[in-house]
Amino acid sequence: MNLSLTDPFVLAQDYPESTTGSLRSGHATCVRFNRKGDFLAAGRVDGTVVIFDVETNGVARKLKGHTRQVQSLSWSRDGRYLLTASQDWKCNIWDLDGGRIVRSVRFEAPVYIAELHPWNHLMFVVSLFEDQPLLVDASGPKVIKSNLPSAPKRNKYDEDEPISDKQAAQDAKQTTTVAVFTASGEHILSGTNKGWLNIIEVSTRTTIYSTKICTGVVIFLRLTGSGRDVVVNAQDRIIRTIQLPNLSAADLDPDTIDIEIEHKFQDVVNKLSWNHVAFSSTGEYVTASTYNNHDIYIWERNHGSLVKILEGPKEEHGIVEWHPHRPLIAACGLESGRIHIWSIMPSQRWSALAPDFVEVEENVEYIEHEDEFDIHPQEEIHKRRLDLEDEEVDVLTVEPVKGEIVDEEGISAFRMPVQLDLIDSESEEEFVAVGRGEMRRKSPSGQGVDYGLGEDGVGGSDVEGKKKVKSRRR
Amino acid sequence: MSDFDSAASTPVPSVHRPPKRRRVYDDSEASTPRYSSPDELGDHKPHRSSKLKTRQDLGSRRRSHSSDGSVDELDHTYHGRNRSRSSSIDSHRSSHSSPDAPSPPVYKPLKLNYKQKFILKGHRKGVAQVRFSPDGRWIASCSADSTIKIWDAETGKHMRTLEGHLAGVSTIAWSPDSNTIASGSDDKTIRLWHRATGKPYPAPLLGHHNYVYSLAFSPKGNMLVSGSYDEAVFLWDLRARRLMRSLPAHSDPVGGVDFIRDGTLVCSCSTDGLTRVWDTATGQCLRTLVHEDNAPVTTVRFSPNGRYILAFTLDSCIRLWDYVSGTCKKTYQGHVNNKYSLGGAFGVGGTEGFIVSGSEDGDLVFWDVKTKDMVQKVSGHEGVVLWVDTSPSVSGKVVSGGLDGTVRIWVDVNEDVNGVKAEPVDADATEDEPMEEARAEIGEERNTPREASVVRELGRNQELEPSPEPMDED
C-alpha cells in the first residue's frame, strides 16, 4: 500500500540500477524466489537449503536433508512447498509449514533440474544426466516415475517411411537437458543436447511438436509468469526468446504449431557465453549472468536492445533470478557463495519530512494570496476547519491494492510460520551482533568475545542477550 | 507555580495539577458544534448519571485539567499567541454552537450500548495498554507494576502473569498468530514471550537508549517496530532478534507506532506534533502529517483498511488523516486528553465503523467514524482510562485498562437483544470470579518491583506524576 506515496519516477524505473546488498548463509549455488516474492530459497554447497525473508534479509528457515550440493529449486504456486534437487541424486519436496520433507525421491542418475507442476505440488519433472527425463507423480503412496521421450518428433512425411538409420542413431543420442511445465501444466517443454525444443503432452507423454532452435546444447529454459514466453539459454552463446502458442486451445493441431524465435540476445563483441538467464517480473526484460565475467546483462524485449550492464562485486555469477514483481535481481557469486542483490535505492525526498515545503525545479517568485495574512479569530478557524470535514470516509472496506497479489480461489493463502527460536540452531555464521545494529565478523577464537551492552546494566540478568545473532549487516 | 502560569505559558503536559478530577465547568467550552448543547445547560451540574445528557456535559468537562474557570479569560488572550501545542485551542468557541444544540444529529445509523461485563483486577499499578490477541481469545495487559497479564477474553479468567521486566511495561503487542507477545518497558528492553508457557524468549531486543513506549508487529509477524523515548523508531528482524533498521524519526519522544495491513508502511508519531509515514522496505519517510496546532501526538493507528491514520493528540482530539493527500478528514472530540497518552481502536458495530477511546475523566467514548458523532460514553474506571482495544472476533467486545489498575471487558448489549441476554452491569457480581483468581496471584508476587517511571504519561517534561491514585482495594 506504499505505492500511492512512492515517487512515481522511482516506480517507473523497472530494472535495477546498482547493488544494494548481499545475503549470505554458507556457500549458495542456486536461488529462486517464490511467486509472492517475499521469500528467496537458496541451495548451498553442503546440501542445506536456506529460505531468506526478502523483507528482513534474514534467514527464515533452514532445510537440512540433502548431503550434496543443491542443483535446482522450484516453489509450489502457493509458496508452501519447495522442490529441491541435489547432486546426491535425490529430489525432496518440503512442506514449509513445518519444514519437513513430504516426499523424497531417488533417481538412478544425477539430477540437472527438477521443476514442480504449477498446480500440483506432488508432481514434477526431472531432467537427468545422460538419461531419459522423468515425470514423477508422488501424489499416491507409491511414487510413479514415467519416462518422457527425448527424441524429437519427425515431420509427418517422414513417418510414412521408416526413419533412416542415421536419423535413428542420432535420435538415440538425444538426451534431454532441461524440462519445464507450461503454465497450465498440461505440457512439458524440454530442450535436448542437440538443440531441439520438444513439446510433450503430459497426459499421453508423447512429443507433439519438435523444432531445432539452435545447434548446441539447450542449457536452460524459463517461462514468464504468464507462461506465454520462453527464454532459452544455449551453448551457442545466444539467448533466444520465444512466444509460445496457446497449447491449451481446444482445437490445437500439433502440426500447425509454429514456433518462431522472437529475439536473439548475444554479446557479439566479447562473444560471452551465459551462465544463467531469467525473465523480469513482467517478462519485458531478460537478464543473464556471464561466463568468466562479473557483469549481469539486461535486455528489453520490446526492441531487443541491451539496456543495462549491472556491475557489482568482482566475481562471476552463477544463477541469476529476477524478483517476481519488483525491480530486484539476485545472483549467486560463484566464488564466495554470496547472494548479491541489485535493486533501486530511492533517495529520501526531503519534502516528505516537512509537509509545508515543496520541492520546486527552479526559483519561483512567490505571490502572496489576498487573504494569506488575514487574522481570523481562533474559534472561527477551528469551526471552519471542522465544517470542512464533511467528506465520506470508509475505514473498513478493503480495496484491492495495485501491485498486490490476490490469491486465486482455491489456493488458501499460505503463511509461513515465523520461527523465533532459529537463533540457537546457528553456529557456522561469520557475523555476530555486538549491540544495537552493530555486527562484527566473528573472531577466529569464536567464543569469549565480550560485547556487553554497557555499564548501565540494561537487562543485566540476561546473559542470553549476548548470544550470537546469526544475521549480517546489510 | 500557579495554575495561571502553567496553563498559559507551558505546554500542556507540564500542568501541575493533580491528575484527579477538578471538574470545572466554565462556559466557554462547548466546542463540538454538532452535538454540544448550549453551555448554560452543560455547566450547571454534572450529568453523569443520565446517559442522555452525556453529550451535553462532555464539552464542559473537557478542559478541567488544564485550567480553571478563573483563568479562562486569560486563557483566551494567551492562546491567541501561544497556540502551538495548546490543548484547549477549541475552547474559545462559546457562541456558535448554541443554534444547533436543540436539534440532535439527524442521521445516526450506529447504535452502541456497551455495558461493563468483567472487572479484572490484579495489576498493582496503572494498566498502560490492553490488547486483544488477533484470534480474539486472549487479552494481554501491561502495567507499571512491570508485569504483563494474560486473561481469557471470554471468561475474564486470569491465565498467566509474565514477569521479567525490571521496570514498568508501557506497551505490548501480539504476534499475528497470537502465540507471542512482545513487550516494551522502561528498562529499555523489548521482550518476547510465549503466550502458552508464559516464558520469555532467551534474548531480549536491546538497543533503545530510553523507555520503550510503543510496539507493533508486522502483519506477517517477521518484523517488529518499536518507538521509544530516545526519539528513534526501530525495525527489528524478529527471527534473528536483530536491529534491522533505525528510522531517524523524530525530535521528541515517540509516542506511537503502527504497521499497515500489508506491512509496506509504518507510521510513527511524537510529542513534536508530527506523524510520519515510512516505507518499511527502504526506511524512508514518505509523508509527514502535521496539524496546524502542532499538538503532541501520542498514539497512531492505521485504519483497518489501511487508508487512514488515526492520531490521538493531547488537545483532546482524535484526528483521522488521509495520509496520501496529507489532510485531516475528521476530528473526533468529546473526551478529555491533555496529559496521558491515551489509546483507542477502530471497531465495527453492525455495518458501521466506530472509534473508541479512553478519556482522562474515566469514561470510554465511542464515535461514529463517518458522522463524527459521539454515540456512546460510558463510565466505569476510577481515573484515567489509558487504553481501549476492540476484539477482532465477531463478539464485538471492548477491553479497557486504566490508571486504577483494572482491566475491564465491555460488551455491546444492543446486539444481544435477540440473542443471549447480557447481564447489566453489576460490578460486584461480575467481578467476583476473576477477582478471586487475581487475588491469589497477588499473594505470590509479594515482592514489589521498582517504581515504574512512566505510566503512559507522555509529557515533554519527564516529571513524574505523584502516584495517581491508590488502588481501590489491596
Side-chain angles (χ1 to χ4, degrees):
Chain A
M1 304 190 73
N2 54 352
L3 295 182
S4 49
L5 293 180
T6 313
D7 188 348
F9 289 105
V10 173
L11 288 182
Q13 174 79 34
D14 41 15
Y15 53 86
E17 284 281 308
S18 53
T19 45
T20 51
S22 70
L23 303 172
R24 184 186 171 93
S25 171
H27 188 117
T29 53
C30 60
V31 291
R32 189 100 185 243
F33 286 102
N34 67 345
R35 204 169 68 96
K36 230 166 148 190
D38 50 355
F39 292 110
L40 176 72
R44 304 201 319 204
V45 170
D46 61 0
T48 308
V49 176
V50 182
I51 314 279
F52 288 98
D53 184 327
V54 176
E55 285 168 5
T56 64
N57 287 343
V59 176
R61 210 175 253 292
K62 286 195 167 177
L63 310 172
K64 291 184 179 164
H66 287 298
T67 51
R68 304 287 292 276
Q69 179 177 328
V70 179
Q71 195 67 24
S72 91
L73 301 158
S74 176
W75 288 85
S76 73
R77 200 174 179 82
D78 60 0
R80 175 166 177 176
Y81 301 95
L82 181 70
L83 171 70
T84 57
S86 155
Q87 289 179 355
D88 59 7
W89 299 18
K90 275 196 304 190
C91 282
N92 288 344
I93 300 176
W94 304 82
D95 182 352
L96 294 179
D97 196 27
R100 313 232 164 280
I101 297 176
V102 189
R103 294 282 189 283
S104 185
V105 184
R106 211 191 136 79
F107 298 96
E108 306 294 309
V111 182
Y112 275 138
I113 289 172
E115 276 280 318
L116 268 187
H117 189 281
W119 300 97
N120 178 357
H121 68 265
L122 291 174
M123 184 185 264
F124 57 93
V125 59
V126 287
S127 5
L128 300 172
F129 177 71
E130 292 188 341
D131 205 341
Q132 293 296 90
L134 294 173
L135 177 69
V136 183
D137 184 355
S139 331
K142 196 164 182 301
V143 176
I144 305 161
K145 298 180 198 164
S146 9
N147 270 321
L148 294 173
S150 288
K153 185 188 173 198
R154 300 295 177 182
N155 287 335
K156 222 176 193 169
Y157 48 84
D158 293 344
E159 280 175 16
D160 300 336
E161 54 203 72
I163 301 167
S164 66
D165 288 350
K166 197 180 160 205
Q167 255 181 356
Q170 262 178 10
D171 284 0
K173 270 192 241 158
Q174 297 257 8
T175 60
T176 301
T177 47
V178 54
V180 293
F181 279 101
T182 57
S184 66
E186 289 164 14
H187 296 87
I188 292 168
L189 286 182
S190 71
T192 71
N193 58 345
K194 305 282 182 210
W196 286 79
L197 182 72
N198 297 331
I199 300 178
I200 303 167
E201 199 173 56
V202 172
S203 52
T204 58
R205 297 197 297 277
T206 52
T207 308
I208 57 167
Y209 175 80
S210 297
T211 180
K212 181 147 175 137
I213 48 168
C214 57
T215 51
V217 179
V218 176
I219 299 171
F220 188 71
L221 294 172
R222 174 60 68 78
L223 274 75
T224 51
S226 66
R228 279 193 281 272
D229 309 277
V230 197
V231 61
V232 183
N233 185 23
Q235 208 185 19
D236 61 5
R237 304 181 180 199
I238 300 173
I239 296 165
R240 295 169 175 84
T241 59
I242 296 169
Q243 285 188 332
L244 276 187
N246 182 7
L247 295 168
S248 322
D251 54 345
L252 177 81
D253 178 3
D255 297 329
T256 60
I257 297 177
D258 184 27
I259 282 183
E260 262 180 45
I261 286 162
E262 179 197 52
H263 288 297
K264 289 183 178 181
F265 301 121
Q266 56 184 323
D267 187 324
V268 282
V269 182
N270 299 320
K271 280 284 172 206
L272 291 170
S273 62
W274 314 100
N275 283 342
H276 194 262
V277 291
F279 271 119
S280 73
S281 33
T282 55
E284 276 176 89
Y285 297 89
V286 171
T287 182
S289 55
T290 48
Y291 175 71
N292 258 337
N293 199 316
H294 307 154
D295 301 332
I296 305 280
Y297 281 56
I298 301 173
W299 297 269
E300 59 91 35
R301 268 181 56 213
N302 205 6
H303 298 101
S305 54
L306 180 69
V307 290
K308 184 89 192 167
I309 297 175
L310 292 175
E311 290 173 10
K314 295 286 171 242
E315 67 174 317
E316 182 184 346
H317 293 94
I319 291 198
V320 59
E321 287 288 341
W322 199 302
H323 189 275
H325 49 83
R326 272 170 45 194
L328 186 150
I329 288 175
C332 289
L334 283 184
E335 254 165 68
S336 67
R338 248 168 211 289
I339 302 160
H340 300 288
I341 308 276
W342 287 261
S343 67
I344 297 167
M345 195 40 92
S347 56
Q348 170 74 56
R349 277 182 308 142
W350 53 264
S351 62
L353 295 163
D356 38 355
F357 282 67
V358 281
E359 290 177 34
V360 288
E361 290 289 312
E362 52 189 25
N363 283 338
V364 176
E365 186 90 10
Y366 185 70
I367 300 156
E368 173 182 312
H369 296 291
E370 173 63 31
D371 56 350
E372 187 165 357
F373 295 103
D374 289 5
I375 296 168
H376 295 289
Q378 271 307 312
E379 60 265 36
E380 187 83 1
I381 295 173
H382 190 73
K383 178 169 191 302
R384 213 182 291 162
R385 211 187 276 152
L386 288 180
D387 289 344
L388 279 175
E389 297 175 356
D390 51 0
E391 212 170 302
E392 274 283 295
V393 293
D394 183 354
V395 295
L396 299 176
T397 319
V398 175
E399 287 164 14
V401 182
K402 206 176 131 248
E404 198 180 42
I405 290 188
V406 187
D407 285 293
E408 291 103 349
E409 268 177 77
I411 296 183
S412 55
F414 169 70
R415 200 173 261 187
M416 196 157 96
V418 176
Q419 282 187 308
L420 295 177
D421 39 15
L422 262 174
I423 278 188
D424 310 320
S425 64
E426 203 62 20
S427 53
E428 72 269 57
E429 296 302 332
E430 53 174 334
F431 284 97
V432 288
V434 290
R436 47 170 310 208
E438 301 281 304
M439 298 285 171
R440 125 163 133 215
R441 199 174 280 270
K442 200 196 262 175
S443 55
S445 59
Q447 305 301 324
V449 190
D450 181 29
Y451 37 84
L453 250 180
E455 315 69 58
D456 52 1
V458 176
S461 64
D462 305 294
V463 193
E464 305 94 323
K466 299 179 176 180
K467 276 228 166 92
K468 272 157 272 136
V469 179
K470 60 134 185 288
S471 321
R472 52 225 58 84
R473 197 204 312 238
R474 300 189 340 102
Chain B
M1 188 200 289
S2 72
D3 273 337
F4 195 93
D5 282 342
S6 52
S9 57
T10 44
V12 180
S14 66
V15 172
H16 221 89
R17 301 251 99 213
K20 203 38 192 171
R21 245 100 322 246
R22 181 90 117 70
R23 210 167 280 140
V24 178
Y25 299 99
D26 51 327
D27 56 356
S28 60
E29 283 276 350
S31 50
T32 32
R34 290 233 191 148
Y35 37 73
S36 55
S37 65
D39 315 300
E40 302 79 52
L41 260 183
D43 85 45
H44 290 321
K45 51 176 173 275
H47 297 282
R48 256 242 143 93
S49 49
S50 140
K51 282 273 170 289
L52 280 176
K53 294 194 175 167
T54 40
R55 281 212 217 113
Q56 295 158 358
D57 76 30
L58 80 101
S60 31
R61 232 186 278 155
R62 166 106 27 81
R63 221 173 28 143
S64 43
H65 297 311
S66 54
S67 68
D68 271 334
S70 57
V71 293
D72 205 56
E73 272 310 311
L74 273 152
D75 233 351
H76 279 246
T77 49
Y78 271 97
H79 279 298
R81 278 178 267 143
N82 188 19
R83 60 192 189 85
S84 70
R85 300 204 175 98
S86 90
S87 65
S88 40
I89 194 68
D90 45 276
S91 63
H92 318 292
R93 317 178 322 91
S94 47
S95 50
H96 39 247
S97 59
S98 5
D100 44 344
S103 62
V106 216
Y107 175 64
K108 199 175 163 189
L110 180 69
K111 268 216 179 84
L112 297 174
N113 189 12
Y114 273 93
K115 291 268 164 73
Q116 190 165 304
K117 191 158 182 204
F118 295 117
I119 304 177
L120 316 176
K121 296 184 178 170
H123 282 298
R124 280 160 301 151
K125 283 186 184 166
V127 175
Q129 279 192 350
V130 283
R131 301 261 195 187
F132 274 104
S133 66
D135 60 9
R137 288 177 60 199
W138 317 100
I139 292 169
S141 61
C142 63
S143 160
D145 67 9
S146 70
T147 63
I148 298 144
K149 287 180 187 292
I150 305 175
W151 318 80
D152 186 310
E154 201 50 51
T155 63
K157 196 164 170 267
H158 173 259
M159 304 303 292
R160 227 168 261 293
T161 300
L162 315 179
E163 289 176 307
H165 276 298
L166 304 175
V169 183
S170 302
T171 177
I172 40 174
W174 284 94
S175 70
D177 60 4
S178 301
N179 288 330
T180 309
I181 295 174
S183 62
S185 159
D186 290 357
D187 65 12
K188 309 176 192 174
T189 64
I190 300 166
R191 279 173 180 278
L192 299 170
W193 311 79
H194 287 280
R195 198 255 314 140
T197 63
K199 295 266 185 305
Y201 279 89
L205 308 177
L206 304 173
H208 277 300
H209 294 310
N210 210 330
Y211 315 135
V212 180
Y213 207 63
S214 183
L215 293 174
F217 270 91
S218 73
K220 280 184 195 146
N222 56 351
M223 290 182 278
L224 187 77
V225 60
S226 63
S228 159
Y229 252 62
D230 64 10
E231 305 176 359
V233 173
F234 285 175
L235 270 172
W236 304 86
D237 174 358
L238 280 182
R239 296 190 186 93
R241 314 253 218 297
R242 168 181 67 108
L243 176 59
M244 223 176 87
R245 187 159 277 137
S246 162
L247 309 176
H250 294 282
S251 53
D252 264 325
V254 176
V257 289
D258 197 14
F259 252 108
I260 199 169
R261 194 173 59 82
D262 69 350
T264 54
L265 296 176
V266 165
C267 67
S268 68
C269 68
S270 160
T271 39
D272 59 11
L274 305 179
T275 303
R276 295 201 200 270
V277 182
W278 308 85
D279 189 302
T280 317
T282 63
Q284 289 180 344
C285 180
L286 295 178
R287 186 70 91 224
T288 300
L289 309 172
V290 58
H291 193 257
E292 283 168 57
D293 298 339
N294 217 13
V297 193
T298 56
T299 304
V300 279
R301 272 192 118 143
F302 277 105
S303 70
N305 64 0
R307 283 199 53 201
Y308 301 95
I309 290 175
L310 193 65
F312 295 71
T313 48
L314 284 184
D315 55 358
S316 292
C317 287
I318 301 172
R319 294 195 174 82
L320 188 71
W321 291 85
D322 180 343
Y323 60 83
V324 178
S325 66
T327 51
C328 174
K329 292 293 182 199
K330 302 281 174 190
T331 305
Y332 305 94
Q333 289 174 308
H335 65 308
V336 186
N337 183 9
N338 297 321
K339 186 173 180 58
Y340 295 92
S341 67
L342 306 186
F346 287 93
V348 186
T351 55
E352 295 300 311
F354 67 80
I355 288 167
V356 56
S357 165
S359 173
E360 283 166 17
D361 57 9
D363 292 344
L364 269 70
V365 188
F366 297 80
W367 292 269
D368 185 320
V369 170
K370 289 184 179 161
T371 62
K372 300 194 282 179
D373 292 337
M374 188 165 72
V375 286
Q376 201 194 347
K377 181 161 184 166
V378 56
S379 59
H381 282 278
E382 299 175 28
V384 179
V385 181
L386 289 169
W387 200 266
V388 187
D389 197 19
T390 52
S391 170
S393 66
V394 285
S395 66
K397 282 199 195 74
V398 163
V399 64
S400 63
L403 219 47
D404 60 1
T406 62
V407 174
R408 293 166 196 245
I409 302 180
W410 309 75
V411 289
D412 189 0
V413 191
N414 246 357
E415 293 189 338
D416 289 351
V417 167
N418 39 11
V420 196
K421 176 104 177 65
E423 58 270 51
V425 187
D426 183 355
D428 287 335
T430 49
E431 79 190 47
D432 260 348
E433 208 192 316
M435 258 187 67
E436 288 309 315
E437 288 281 329
R439 285 234 175 90
E441 191 64 45
I442 288 171
E444 299 163 12
E445 43 181 74
R446 182 88 359 113
N447 45 343
T448 338
R450 278 186 232 160
E451 280 288 298
S453 39
V454 207
V455 189
R456 287 262 126 202
E457 182 193 351
L458 192 73
R460 5 195 92 231
N461 58 337
Q462 299 197 0
E463 197 175 335
L464 287 194
E465 260 314 288
S467 154
E469 251 192 301
M471 262 189 45
D472 24 19
E473 65 284 308
D474 309 338

